[in-house]
Amino acid sequence: ITINPKPVVSISVADNSVCEAEQISITPAASIGSGSIASGTWNFGNGTSAYVNNGILTRSYTSYGTYNINLEVVSDRGCRTTSANSIVNIYDNPVAAFSMPGAVCMPGGTVAFTNNSSVLDGSSLSYSWNFGDASAASSLQNPVHNCAVATSASSYPVTLTTTSSFGCITPVTRVFNKFSDKPTAVFDRSPVTVCQGEQIGFSHTSIAPNSSISTVKWLFSDGSSSNTANASKLFTRVGQTQGRLIATNAAGCVSDTS
């Protein structure tokens, strides 16, 4: 009767905590008292396996979670040994995402960014914003950025880098170029002087650079108002009175009152 020795096998993982898609290196160590190691089968803990005779193995995982890796080796005489499990922790790569306003009115406009980043493994997130205009970065979750030097022709690549507490990093870049000049409210009235109980006609010639006037609103000193493009107003009180105009362009930017 011949009793053949079983192989002795162990494995070590260089870095057992990594982010999704990052490579891990697994080093096997196998020996046998007599005979030789014929083959090895890796079990990666996610339903997949591979046949490897020797050498360092690199592997990556596309889904976060905890995985048990082991190696079964077989001698030339059919004796099998499975290594102890090595535990590998794979952390989720966060999804970096944000939304921006449909338009920002200039001059003096600000852009309010809404952070929509998320992560599946429950880790906490930190943020770094680059606004693409040589200004200082921001670590706020939802920053409001002053665009004092922007014009209606400006375009900025805005980058949000989202980092999990496990060090997994995802950047995303979106271009913001939705700058709109405020309209200028301009109007004329005729006649300038009337008798009590007569009407004055108001006509607007407001200007909307790089856009168009979508609405106007007339405000009169007696508390009444009108949303028609050209208004007629009957005044019943003697003395001086006022008519004011507010114009709004197609981007929703509101003029100063004329």
Side-chain angles (χ1 to χ4, degrees):
I1 298 174
T2 302
I3 308 300
N4 295 312
K6 296 178 72 173
V8 177
V9 59
S10 63
I11 60 174
S12 62
V13 180
D15 188 352
N16 65 348
S17 295
V18 298
C19 304
E20 290 171 331
E22 289 184 349
Q23 295 281 346
I24 60 172
S25 296
I26 313 167
T27 303
S31 62
I32 193 167
S34 64
S36 62
I37 304 296
S39 63
T41 302
W42 290 98
N43 175 14
F44 300 112
N46 62 351
T48 63
S49 60
Y51 296 94
V52 179
N53 287 327
N54 52 45
I56 297 175
L57 177 72
T58 58
R59 190 74 178 176
S60 63
Y61 291 81
T62 58
S63 298
Y64 79 95
T66 300
Y67 299 91
N68 293 312
I69 301 174
N70 60 52
L71 172 63
E72 181 189 60
V73 295
V74 182
S75 73
D76 59 346
R77 295 169 186 174
C79 299
R80 299 172 180 270
T81 301
T82 300
S83 70
N85 288 331
S86 284
I87 298 175
V88 175
N89 297 306
I90 306 299
Y91 300 121
D92 186 43
N93 287 321
V95 175
F98 63 94
S99 57
M100 304 178 290
V104 170
C105 303
M106 303 302 294
T110 57
V111 183
F113 295 97
T114 301
N115 194 329
N116 301 313
S117 299
S118 61
V119 68
L120 294 177
D121 61 13
S123 57
S124 59
L125 298 177
S126 59
Y127 311 102
S128 177
W129 295 84
N130 183 324
F131 301 108
D133 58 0
S135 63
S138 172
S139 60
L140 295 177
Q141 182 175 358
N142 298 297
V144 177
H145 186 59
N146 191 319
C147 300
V149 298
T151 68
S152 58
S154 295
S155 180
Y156 299 108
V158 180
T159 300
L160 167 63
T161 301
T162 301
T163 305
S164 76
S165 54
F166 294 120
C168 302
I169 300 171
T170 304
V172 63
T173 299
R174 297 184 62 188
V175 174
F176 187 79
N177 56 7
K178 302 299 184 180
F179 297 101
S180 181
D181 294 320
K182 287 183 179 179
T184 302
V186 181
F187 71 91
D188 197 7
R189 71 275 190 216
S190 179
V192 176
T193 301
V194 296
C195 297
Q196 184 179 13
E198 293 181 345
Q199 290 187 337
I200 295 179
F202 295 86
S203 58
H204 95 86
T205 54
S206 301
I207 303 168
N210 305 304
S211 184
S212 60
I213 299 296
S214 61
T215 63
V216 296
K217 185 171 185 177
W218 301 93
L219 302 172
F220 301 109
S221 56
D222 63 359
S224 62
S225 63
S226 174
N227 294 319
T228 60
N230 300 301
S232 294
K233 175 64 178 174
L234 186 147
F235 293 95
T236 59
R237 295 182 180 180
V238 176
Q240 292 185 336
T241 190
Q242 288 185 338
R244 297 184 295 156
L245 174 64
I246 299 174
T248 303
N249 70 8
C253 299
V254 179
S255 69
D256 297 324
T257 303
S258 175

